[in-house]
Amino acid sequence: MLTDIEIARSVKLRNIADVAGEMGIAPDQLEIYGHYMAKVPVKYIDKGKMSRHHLVLVTAISPTKAGNGKTTVSVGLALGMNRLGKKTIVALREPSLGPCFGMKGGAAGGGYAQVLPMDKINLHFTGDFHAITTANNMISALLDNYIHQHEGEGFRLKQKLWRRVLDINDRSLRQVITGLGGPGNGPISQTGFDITPASEIMAIMCLATSIDDLHRRIENILLGFTYDDKPFTVKDLGVAGSITVLLKDAFDPNLVQTTEGTPAFVHCGPFANIAHGCNSVVATEMALTLGDYVVTEAGFGADLGAEKFYNIKCRKTGLHPDLTVLVVTAQALKMHGGVDYEVIKKPNVEGVRRGLWNLDKHVRNIKRFGQSIVVAFNHYSFDTPEEIAVVRDHCINDLGVGFAVNDAFSQGGEGAASLARAVVDAVEHNPSGPLRLSYEDSDSIEHKIEAIAMGIYGAGKVTCDAPARAMLKRIYSLGLGHYPVCIAKTQYSFSTDAKAYGNTDGYDFQVRDLVIDRGAEMIVVIAGNILRMPGLPKSPQACRIDLVGGEIMGLS
Amino acid sequence: MLTDIEIARSVKLRNIADVAGEMGIAPDQLEIYGHYMAKVPVKYIDKGKMSRHHLVLVTAISPTKAGNGKTTVSVGLALGMNRLGKKTIVALREPSLGPCFGMKGGAAGGGYAQVLPMDKINLHFTGDFHAITTANNMISALLDNYIHQHEGEGFRLKQKLWRRVLDINDRSLRQVITGLGGPGNGPISQTGFDITPASEIMAIMCLATSIDDLHRRIENILLGFTYDDKPFTVKDLGVAGSITVLLKDAFDPNLVQTTEGTPAFVHCGPFANIAHGCNSVVATEMALTLGDYVVTEAGFGADLGAEKFYNIKCRKTGLHPDLTVLVVTAQALKMHGGVDYEVIKKPNVEGVRRGLWNLDKHVRNIKRFGQSIVVAFNHYSFDTPEEIAVVRDHCINDLGVGFAVNDAFSQGGEGAASLARAVVDAVEHNPSGPLRLSYEDSDSIEHKIEAIAMGIYGAGKVTCDAPARAMLKRIYSLGLGHYPVCIAKTQYSFSTDAKAYGNTDGYDFQVRDLVIDRGAEMIVVIAGNILRMPGLPKSPQACRIDLVGGEIMGLS
């Protein structure tokens, strides 16, 4: 089979104006980037139309390092549904350059179920992440400058909370000291860089519902505390307007196309382990305005992305999926069944069977939210019929949920026909009931953390380190206890230990720190050893990406 | 009069495909960004056509903090020449977000002589600077990762030369320590950030003549020295291909339009004080392919930008201007005549007269390069006829160079009519002779520095600090003595002291350090207290940029 980028290149792309035109958007309303990408103004969102359309969430069991192919299934499902005559738009998250040049690769789907042009989407795309990085770091520069310029008048911050970001995996920026070299370069700060998807600006872009809301949220960003314990915000810095200006164009959702020429929105929001990991509200709403069905995704396993999709994105917007599709792979089941990572591509029916506990736990969790479920078995070439049969039998007979095999990677929409039928059938005849969230706004932050850690992850108890306890006091004194929690945790285990595969029920959930995202209106809970700035592996993908005869190689 | 952004908004823009079409470029060959910006593939460069066309360089006397309006004059001159029936394209440098949010403002011209859409050009434009920032910092991450992953095998760098960049004025990033927090985050480095225009990647983008040449130069970038004193390069890191991939789209020149709908290329290269400060070779060559006349600019005063234009850009490419236009303002002359900065907008004929020495020195310098000169008096509303008469009389009668007043700021191309006539007349009847460079490739680095410092700036002698002397040894041992020198120096004075106005002849030119740009193939000479990362003022422009009713305010 061809590589992802070879397939991407082999597809004859439609002009993006034609793709938009079919949805009723005139070419002069688009901000076009090249021939195949465009931004659609947020004014096209129409709540009346949205309410008549269907939303399907795609999530997954706990992934391997290579992921479960959730984006591939999302694209494939949309292709399959379009072939059934259902006008379906896929709404995805934008890839980060970090994993693209690091280990995991790009995030534009794979095989014959990709969003295109995949090289542009995986690289600079329409510049959204660059705008977010710039806005974040412009605030940093303006904040340090404010301190520098006003320290003669006695202004100082007791606690500076704002960090810089880059959309690069760079472990040596996790902890840095800035402002060295004398008072002309000050103030001296012990600080660090996170990866751009972890920026509060990213979360704000994902959750804001209009440019005015974006501006309001930017004003509210908490940068630190003064010596008299007053919060110091972007509004105090006087630059919310110029930061909004930097983000204005990036805020409009990006329209691209699938390998079969159907529309796809790709906008913000990767990394459900260190962020909320869903694409932007405006992109989902735009897709729901323009399509009868919308397939969207939430990052990593359902414990991370789907939980945040329901408890944060749906809570804040009133969105509610008609169905949740749970992606499962034989490889991931084998890994959860104790099979060594090196041999998970080898046939091992018993390994698959031993890993079903992970599927079961995700199914139980998703059902708690009141969701109907279809399990999508994402088929790899080395999976055996026996392995598939074990999962199919378990889903239908033991769990009583829908099941279908997805072959979109190798066959495009045709390979997702049975999955598409299962999804449409479930939405039409057995849709989800009302969304049941895990906690009320009015619950305490501690209760909210417990609701997720114990109720979803299976922790036995929650402990808080000193920095987290101190921040908890800040949260209550600022009157922010009504925010939802966004838990930053490893994607590899239900526990906070990335290496603890298998059942970890009853473990101790350690809260290391809390971050107040007052613009995004949520509390980020740093659990265990999760790092908000990834590192690169010994042999990064950057060593294999190349330009050969004008063609990009090595992107996947 | 309206503000720059009000004028920019009042202009009815042409679709960029029409602007390109008039130059013979088919719409499907363009990479379009929105309706008014496009990238033109470098394959359109045609050396045969170039040789039949005329190149005019616009430079200036030593500027005030607000500049002399060189970009405004360049655009105005092109407008005026187009009105004379000369097919003229202006080729400019891209603005940096640093000054745009800091003190100096944007860099897209002003009044009725702007390149448009000025808001996009001044903000993210087509993402070139973001691509350069990302490429630079991706190398940093890959380098630190290489050290981190290979230190167990004994790999270490004795000297790490590569620094990170951001396109932001951020003084607290000038000197930082990275890699803190334990061995998992290492290696620990004392390092820092420069502003993106100072990145060697920017210089490479400006000087590369093809994608293959870009790749070759990236491979050659010197990152540091190993403990056995061997150079360690991007090629050794094995990532030249992927870094080229990050820059591939950015390498194509950007086509926009002037306030009068004529074509303009705006591509890379600002900051002639800390970089070579000229737009890209490919943009200049593209413009020279497509226009009968090309007006291009070089940054700050002629001691900085023009010297580098001749000695670096022309040396490397064979480009040679038919004429140099020297922009002069009454304000700058008054400042050089000892008038307080606060009152340079007030009439002061005697102040203007006392400042003429600065004009004279730049004229002498430019003549040494064998250039014909037209002085363009850039007219501000508060200049008096008497002030203008003093300069006119001096240029014509004392210096024997062309002179014209530029009113394009307030009147567009009509206001540049006499300047355009003077320029066309000079090019047709009194063009420059062969370009005389300041030194030969084979001269020593010390000689090259002296040729500029003593020959152009008027220094009495050159002294080298210890780091510069050590680097000089490195340069010779690597066999790189044939590179030209790119001197980083304050733009406010011929000396290395930003506050030393007036005649500084005979001063001591202090070389603080040397930087080997092996990819850009030049030696950057750090002179005096010049900083490669600017800071923000107490009241930055960021406090005045805002989004009001969907319209951007405060950009200039």
Side-chain angles (χ1 to χ4, degrees), chain A residues 176-208:
Chain A
V176 307
I177 296 177
T178 59
L180 298 169
N185 298 350
I188 293 179
S189 310
Q190 187 167 354
T191 180
F193 288 66
D194 299 324
I195 193 162
T196 298
S199 168
E200 183 179 354
I201 302 283
M202 179 69 80
I204 289 174
M205 290 283 284
C206 286
L207 292 167

Side-chain angles (χ1 to χ4, degrees), chain B residues 485-528:
Chain B
V485 294
C486 176
I487 297 183
K489 181 186 82 65
T490 177
Q491 65 269 32
Y492 296 120
S493 169
F494 280 105
S495 80
T496 51
D497 176 356
K499 299 218 159 67
Y501 302 132
N503 189 331
T504 57
D505 280 359
Y507 74 96
D508 181 0
F509 184 84
Q510 180 212 13
V511 177
R512 227 176 64 227
D513 204 355
L514 299 176
V515 178
I516 302 172
D517 276 9
R518 209 173 84 167
E521 300 179 343
M522 63 189 193
I523 303 298
V524 179
V525 179
I526 313 288

Side-chain angles (χ1 to χ4, degrees), chain A residues 56-61 63 68-71 74 91-93 104 268-273 275-279 284 295-311 313-314 321 324-327:
Chain A
V56 174
L57 174 68
V58 175
T59 182
I61 64 166
N68 282 314
K70 205 165 45 250
T71 304
S74 300
L92 304 172
R93 299 162 301 144
K104 191 163 178 281
C268 297
F271 288 25
N273 52 350
H276 83 298
C278 304
N279 72 349
T284 306
V295 177
T296 192
E297 60 175 351
F300 291 121
D303 53 328
L304 292 173
E307 180 273 312
K308 289 160 185 152
F309 184 88
Y310 307 131
N311 277 320
K313 184 168 176 174
C314 291
T324 294
V325 172
L326 181 63
V327 178

Side-chain angles (χ1 to χ4, degrees), chain B residues 326 356-364 367 373 375 390-403:
Chain B
L326 180 63
L356 288 172
W357 70 268
N358 188 277
L359 170 64
D360 295 353
K361 184 156 178 169
H362 286 294
V363 166
R364 271 200 311 278
K367 280 186 173 172
I373 299 175
V375 170
V390 163
V391 185
R392 184 195 309 269
D393 176 68
H394 182 66
C395 286
I396 295 172
N397 298 322
D398 300 340
L399 299 174
V401 297
F403 176 90

Side-chain angles (χ1 to χ4, degrees), chain A residues 343-502:
Chain A
V343 294
I344 58 173
K345 294 186 179 180
K346 297 218 171 116
N348 186 339
V349 176
E350 196 40 44
V352 167
R353 207 186 302 272
R354 280 201 313 270
L356 289 172
W357 70 267
N358 188 276
L359 170 64
D360 295 351
K361 185 155 176 168
H362 286 295
V363 166
R364 271 200 310 277
N365 283 338
I366 296 167
K367 281 187 172 170
R368 278 202 205 159
F369 290 95
Q371 287 287 296
S372 289
I373 300 174
V374 167
V375 170
F377 185 97
N378 192 22
H379 191 188
Y380 283 73
S381 58
F382 39 77
D383 298 335
T384 66
E386 294 73 21
E387 290 174 326
I388 299 174
V390 164
V391 186
R392 183 195 308 270
D393 176 65
H394 183 66
C395 286
I396 294 172
N397 297 323
D398 300 338
L399 299 173
V401 296
F403 177 90
V405 175
N406 172 56
D407 273 314
F409 183 88
S410 56
Q411 296 167 41
E414 189 58 40
S418 63
L419 174 62
R421 276 192 299 273
V423 165
V424 171
D425 186 61
V427 170
E428 290 183 353
H429 302 110
N430 179 30
S432 305
L435 193 60
R436 294 198 299 267
L437 301 179
S438 305
Y439 49 80
E440 299 294 324
D441 288 355
S442 57
D443 290 337
S444 69
I445 297 294
E446 296 93 320
H447 177 92
K448 289 169 183 168
I449 297 171
E450 284 174 8
I452 306 306
M454 298 165 73
I456 303 284
Y457 305 154
K461 68 169 179 167
V462 173
T463 58
C464 275
D465 290 358
R469 289 197 303 272
M471 201 51 83
L472 206 51
K473 283 189 195 152
R474 293 277 197 203
I475 291 166
Y476 290 125
S477 75
L478 291 168
L480 305 179
H482 59 289
Y483 285 174
V485 294
C486 176
I487 297 184
K489 180 186 83 65
T490 177
Q491 65 269 30
Y492 296 120
S493 169
F494 278 105
S495 80
T496 51
D497 177 356
K499 297 216 161 67
Y501 302 133

